[in-house]
Amino acid sequence: MDRLDNTIRPYAWGSPTAIPHLLGVEPSGEPQAEMWMGAHPGAPSRTARGTLVEVIATDPERELGAEAVAKFGPHLPFLLKILAAGAPLSLQVHPDLRQAKEGYADEERRGVPVDAPHRNYKDANHKPELICALTEFDGLCGFRAPGEAADLLAALDVDSLKPYVDLLRAHPEEAALREVLTAILTADPAEMTRTVTEAATACARLGGDHAPYAGIAHHYPGDPGVLAAMLLNHVRLQPGEALFLGAGIPHAYLSGLGVEIMANSDNVLRCGLTPKHVDVPELLRIVRFEAGDPGVLRPEAARDGEEVYETPIDEFRLSRYVLPAGAPAHDLTLRTPQILLCTAGSVRAGEHELTPGGSVFVPAGEKAEVAGAGTLFRATVVV
């Protein structure tokens, strides 16, 4: 197995302290948002044999296994991250596989440069993702019931929001959510700034269920995404709990430290809380206007101490081992590729001693024995 040397991304929303604290190093004073583990070309993990992209390209079947190559192609189909949100991320959705392929082909046909700021589809893949909390973790996930959203907005007592309240109470669910989100994103910018400012003041005054939106508005004053966020479920995960974010589900991470895994894609359509491009017509085509419970996941016991976060996705499978002191070694050998990540304590993986933030890549079929006292996450695929 190969010890991984991983890149930390300094996005502006990142916490300056959470990842350094996990790694046991001094903060640099700069935001540290994500640590990437995998073979994404934008920041591939490095090994003694070269980057993980280079290692896999040399012999895909040896590194990934024949079954994984046959199903997903000669590349690692997931990206594993440690994510540290110190401020809200953009409100966003991801396309399904068919939409991604069609959107990518269309933009290629029209000659939109892949690095253009208005480009929606950077690749032809979907981007389902799973976030598992390491600390208390706040986020937004999926639409509230329209009546609940109406009550939340009505309590602000802002005159310019009353038409939205009426729409949410008068229409069938899908139509109500679609009409209100469309109205928010297409309103006159100057008028929307005034409305959001007034709403943010009311949220700060009311507190309680409104408090998260006052916090969002503090980071994104006047942004229409503040009102769009009020249409969504607010979720607070406890350590070990997780959220699965499928295609078309609007979501945003607000604060906290977590382990995130996703299909290897950059396709994001933004709804707000960002200075970046918002393609409203394409966004409205992708969003699933369905209200429902966000579905907090808790790990399910499998075998030999493994706890699995069950999802309907084959590109990744995330599980966790909480290893007690003095327990016998676990054999984690699989016929699929793995990344093992330590998040607490000290775990020996093969010849490598892993402390929090330490990770290894295990080629398909390679002997993978672990022991120690700590928490270990395992990322692999389903074949």
Side-chain angles (χ1 to χ4, degrees), residues 325-372:
H330 285 67
D331 183 358
L332 305 191
T333 305
L334 290 176
R335 67 181 193 275
T336 51
Q338 307 179 66
I339 291 178
L340 305 179
L341 166 67
C342 176
T343 59
S346 178
V347 178
R348 187 165 188 81
E351 62 184 20
H352 304 286
E353 195 71 33
L354 302 181
T355 53
S359 58
V360 293
F361 172 72
V362 186
E366 191 90 2
K367 181 73 171 177
E369 193 169 83
V370 301

Side-chain angles (χ1 to χ4, degrees), residues 33-282:
E34 297 179 346
M35 186 171 79
W36 288 21
M37 291 155 281
H40 191 286
S45 298
R46 298 169 293 278
T47 78
R49 297 189 284 156
T51 71
L52 199 52
V53 169
E54 294 166 342
V55 168
I56 291 170
T58 299
D59 192 345
E61 288 206 359
R62 179 186 180 280
E63 303 296 333
L64 304 177
E67 292 170 288
V69 171
K71 188 167 184 176
F72 304 111
H75 51 79
L76 191 67
F78 64 81
L79 177 64
L80 184 66
K81 300 179 181 180
I82 292 176
L83 181 146
L89 282 67
S90 62
L91 190 61
Q92 59 190 256
V93 296
H94 306 302
D96 63 27
L97 190 56
R98 177 187 59 79
Q99 292 164 339
K101 288 179 176 178
E102 292 175 353
Y104 180 78
D106 175 64
E107 290 185 324
E108 288 288 281
R109 186 168 53 251
R110 291 190 285 118
V112 181
V114 73
D115 58 352
H118 62 286
R119 174 118 184 188
N120 293 314
Y121 299 95
K122 304 297 177 66
D123 53 67
N125 200 13
H126 62 165
K127 193 187 177 187
E129 53 192 47
L130 177 77
I131 183 77
C132 176
L134 295 178
T135 65
E136 194 168 73
F137 194 98
D138 275 26
L140 306 171
C141 179
F143 286 108
R144 298 174 181 269
E148 293 177 11
D151 292 344
L152 198 69
L153 291 173
L156 301 178
D157 196 25
V158 173
D159 285 343
S160 52
L161 291 178
K162 290 178 181 176
Y164 300 159
V165 173
D166 291 342
L167 281 171
L168 289 167
R169 288 178 172 161
H171 286 270
E173 177 180 291
E174 180 178 347
L177 294 170
R178 179 181 291 276
E179 288 187 38
V180 172
L181 182 61
T182 303
I184 289 170
L185 297 180
T186 58
D188 177 78
E191 291 181 8
M192 180 53 63
T193 297
R194 288 192 292 270
T195 296
V196 171
T197 301
E198 194 175 346
T201 300
C203 284
R205 182 185 72 250
L206 291 168
D209 289 343
H210 292 83
Y213 307 99
I216 293 170
H218 172 74
H219 290 283
Y220 297 97
D223 192 303
V226 174
L227 296 182
M230 296 185 73
L231 301 177
L232 307 185
N233 297 296
H234 174 244
V235 185
R236 177 164 291 166
L237 300 177
Q238 297 305 311
E241 294 181 334
L243 284 175
F244 173 71
L245 303 160
I249 304 298
H251 62 277
Y253 302 146
L254 304 181
S255 64
L257 182 71
V259 173
E260 185 183 38
I261 189 168
M262 63 188 61
N264 214 353
S265 170
D266 274 340
N267 287 326
V268 175
L269 289 117
R270 295 174 178 86
C271 314
L273 310 182
T274 178
K276 295 182 179 180
H277 177 63
V278 176
D279 184 336
V280 175
E282 186 66 8

